[in-house]
Amino acid sequence: MIKRLLDYNDGEDMNLVLLLKDSSLRTSKNGKQYLVLQFSDSSGTIRGNLWNASQQDADTFSPGTIVELSGRREEYQDRPQIRIYDLRVVGPNEGYDLSQFVHSAPIKQKDLEEEINKRVFEILNPTWNRIVRYLLKKWNKEFFSYPAGKSNHHAVRNGLAFHTVSMLRDAEGIANTYPQIDRSLLYAGCILHDMGKVIELSGPVATTYTAEGNLIGHLVLIDEQIMLAAHELEIDEHSEDLMLLRHLVLSHHGLPEYGAAHRPVVLEAEVLHKIDDLDATVYAITNALQQTKPGEFTETIKSQDNRRFYRPKNDDALDKAPKLE
């Protein structure tokens, strides 16, 4: 069997064709420049540093470039990394395609589409239903192929739809337990809350932030899309239904310091925020645990306050779970 990037153990040499998922030119304490590179294939991503780099190197080894890497897997500060021996750009005539190096969500796109469309029919409020259907149709291709982020969570092809489906499943269970929750509003919020990422992010391959993403952000971007949809559908822009939906998407990050335009002050908005945070948290920890041997701790997880999580020795459930990244 051909070994992929994450199949190598510490101390093993490798020679692989990989995708540069990210590249950043930095300056060390001694004033020398180096490139921080994120190497990726269908198994996952590992970082490596190219020392004594120049701006020309940064231009050559830019995100989205396919490269041939010769190096060794090591560990530094509890995180895997690659010591680079040699690195070259793979030419366009060498038979490689970007799609070969992109990891996808563990649920097929067709199944993601079917499950989300099923939930749309359960949104009984006509205002929310019409807006959700309108925006799903408008952004269908992007919504079902884009990742949910550049690196933090669900940063895989179809990751945005996968994250949405996971949240809808959680929302169903919570709405069944608490009948006072408006299921239609919560479902609409789950589907739309991150849809602005189809504008915020560049796409599923070598994902970067767009100008709109850096300057505006996905919360405001989806709010704009909701208002445009309301205008096209001739929905009263001052109706309470529209205001509630906008509040859910604008507040789903919980706190202003995390990007929320307002703290949640509607029950469904608070629940949406909690579900979103829960799914992102479980994903990040699970992804790290899947790359960790039983009886050992994960690498530090940035999104979890740089904590390291322990993988129990008899963790059969994790072995049966689909591989995330």
Side-chain angles (χ1 to χ4, degrees), residues 39-323:
F39 297 99
S40 176
D41 68 5
S42 59
S43 69
T45 302
I46 299 181
R47 167 180 156 166
N49 294 335
L50 182 65
W51 301 104
N52 299 317
S54 64
Q55 183 59 54
Q56 183 178 351
D57 291 321
D59 295 338
T60 299
F61 300 114
S62 58
T65 302
I66 299 175
V67 297
E68 182 178 8
L69 165 73
S70 175
R72 170 177 291 190
R73 173 166 171 156
E74 298 179 342
E75 184 176 292
Y76 177 70
Q77 294 183 343
D78 302 318
R79 300 177 71 91
Q81 70 170 20
I82 297 173
R83 179 185 292 274
I84 300 171
Y85 297 153
D86 190 41
L87 192 65
R88 75 169 184 90
V89 174
V90 171
N93 298 322
E94 294 187 53
Y96 294 96
D97 183 81
L98 287 174
S99 62
Q100 297 175 239
F101 306 95
V102 180
H103 191 62
S104 297
I107 301 177
K108 293 180 180 179
Q109 181 173 327
K110 178 176 177 291
D111 295 332
L112 292 169
E113 292 180 10
E114 288 181 357
E115 186 159 351
I116 288 176
N117 288 331
K118 173 189 172 185
R119 301 295 183 182
V120 172
F121 283 104
E122 298 177 39
I123 300 174
L124 304 181
N125 178 288
T127 294
W128 305 330
N129 183 282
R130 292 175 68 202
I131 289 174
V132 168
R133 285 192 291 110
Y134 179 91
L135 291 176
L136 273 176
K137 182 178 180 180
K138 179 178 181 179
W139 297 105
N140 185 272
K141 180 180 178 181
E142 294 86 353
F143 184 77
F144 286 103
S145 63
Y146 273 42
K150 180 182 176 182
S151 59
N152 280 344
H153 70 90
H154 299 82
V156 295
R157 184 192 297 273
N158 324 117
L160 178 56
F162 178 44
H163 175 47
T164 301
V165 163
S166 298
M167 287 182 60
L168 284 166
R169 292 174 179 178
D170 291 340
E172 179 183 28
I174 291 171
N176 287 340
T177 302
Y178 302 101
Q180 65 269 39
I181 290 175
D182 189 321
R183 186 186 301 264
S184 292
L185 180 57
L186 185 57
Y187 282 8
C190 286
I191 294 171
L192 295 181
H193 82 288
D194 269 354
M195 192 179 283
K197 290 183 177 181
V198 302
I199 305 172
E200 180 180 57
L201 301 174
S202 61
V205 179
T207 305
T208 59
Y209 286 97
T210 62
E212 294 94 332
N214 280 319
L215 294 173
I216 302 172
H218 68 277
L219 280 78
V220 175
L221 289 169
I222 187 55
D223 181 61
E224 290 178 345
Q225 289 295 309
I226 289 171
M227 292 303 291
L228 288 171
H231 178 74
E232 288 293 321
L233 297 170
E234 298 183 347
I235 293 171
D236 181 3
E237 296 180 4
H238 302 288
S239 70
E240 183 172 81
D241 285 344
L242 186 62
M243 181 170 56
L244 290 172
L245 183 60
R246 295 179 66 197
H247 176 69
L248 258 68
V249 300
L250 286 169
S251 66
H252 81 266
H253 278 191
L255 295 170
E257 51 264 43
Y258 295 144
H262 198 290
R263 292 199 66 181
V265 291
V266 172
L267 174 59
E268 290 78 10
E270 181 68 17
V271 173
L272 178 68
H273 162 58
K274 299 294 188 185
I275 293 174
D276 183 35
D277 186 60
L278 173 65
D279 188 53
T281 297
V282 171
Y283 185 99
I285 296 172
T286 301
N287 183 43
L289 288 171
Q290 287 181 332
Q291 300 178 43
T292 304
K293 295 178 181 178
E296 296 184 2
F297 282 85
T298 67
E299 61 184 63
T300 56
I301 306 175
K302 184 178 179 181
S303 64
Q304 304 305 311
D305 302 318
N306 288 318
R307 286 176 290 164
R308 300 171 64 205
F309 284 77
Y310 179 71
R311 179 171 179 177
K313 294 178 180 178
N314 298 315
D315 195 354
D316 296 334
L318 192 65
D319 288 332
K320 297 175 183 176
K323 189 75 169 63

Side-chain angles (χ1 to χ4, degrees), residues 4-32:
R4 298 180 299 171
L5 182 59
L6 294 189
D7 295 330
Y8 288 86
N9 297 314
D10 290 342
E12 287 189 322
D13 289 335
M14 63 179 71
N15 192 282
L16 294 170
V17 174
L18 302 165
L19 173 70
L20 285 179
K21 190 173 182 179
D22 198 14
S23 173
S24 175
L25 185 63
R26 301 181 186 178
T27 303
S28 64
K29 293 180 180 179
N30 62 12
K32 294 185 178 180

